[in-house]
Amino acid sequence: MRGFKKLDWYIIRQLLTIFVLAIVMIILIIIVFDLAEKLDDFLEKEAPIKGLIFTFYLNFVPYFVNLFGHLFFFISVIFLTSRLAAKTEIVAILSSGISFNRFLRPFVISSILVGLLNFYLGNFLIPEVNKPRLEFEKKYYRNPVRNFNYNIHIQTSKNSKV
């Protein structure tokens, strides 16, 4: 791309690497806790391991990437900026004649990329991958017994209904 300098690529690469590593770590933690919570039901209903991995948990990941993407990108920006400041790289960048607005350009470009990823996940991918995941969950996790009694009202007095 025209106009990109080594500094831009360095900041974008560092920022997106930190973001991806943070998201992967939180997703792994979420999967471990979710599996620990649902394991008894999966074993009781004899859920296949292949279906559990590829149908349930692989389709489980985009939702949480979309859910935590904004937060972890913010954390990545703070982490990278503090790391650059600790190594006095920001001082060197600004004192070399690069304006602060020019310094922020790779951060803005990275945020647009993450925003587009979240837009794609939330509007296109997640609705499609939720269908097989919810079917698997209904078959192997949730209790199929449902209460069909609704809109039941009890009149306790002339002007009061429960």
Side-chain angles (χ1 to χ4, degrees), residues 17-150:
T17 301
I18 294 168
F19 171 72
V20 168
L21 289 175
I23 285 288
V24 167
M25 287 190 298
I26 194 69
I27 293 299
L28 290 176
I29 291 169
I30 289 171
I31 287 175
V32 166
F33 277 101
D34 188 70
L35 183 62
E37 179 184 328
K38 296 178 180 176
L39 188 60
D40 290 338
D41 292 322
F42 286 147
L43 291 175
E44 179 184 311
K45 295 188 178 179
E46 299 176 355
I49 293 176
K50 184 178 179 182
L52 188 64
I53 293 170
F54 293 109
T55 304
F56 189 72
Y57 281 111
L58 193 62
N59 294 331
F60 188 75
V61 170
Y63 171 74
F64 282 101
V65 170
N66 190 41
L67 182 67
F68 292 118
H70 309 291
L71 174 67
F72 278 90
F73 185 75
F74 177 66
I75 291 171
S76 301
V77 167
I78 291 173
F79 183 76
L80 177 64
T81 306
S82 66
R83 199 169 72 186
L84 290 174
K87 295 179 181 179
T88 63
E89 291 180 6
I90 293 177
V91 173
I93 291 168
L94 296 176
S95 64
S96 70
I98 295 176
S99 70
F100 190 70
N101 290 335
R102 173 66 182 84
F103 170 68
L104 290 179
R105 188 166 79 173
F107 290 96
V108 172
I109 291 168
S110 299
S111 67
I112 290 170
L113 290 174
V114 171
L116 289 173
L117 172 71
N118 283 334
F119 178 77
Y120 171 73
L121 289 175
N123 291 302
F124 299 105
L125 187 64
I126 292 173
E128 292 302 317
V129 299
N130 266 349
K131 293 172 188 172
R133 183 185 67 82
L134 292 174
E135 286 299 318
F136 185 89
E137 190 174 282
K138 186 167 68 172
K139 185 175 183 182
Y140 293 110
Y141 176 64
R142 291 188 180 155
N143 189 355
V145 177
R146 294 183 184 219
N147 184 5
F148 291 104
N149 298 328
Y150 55 91

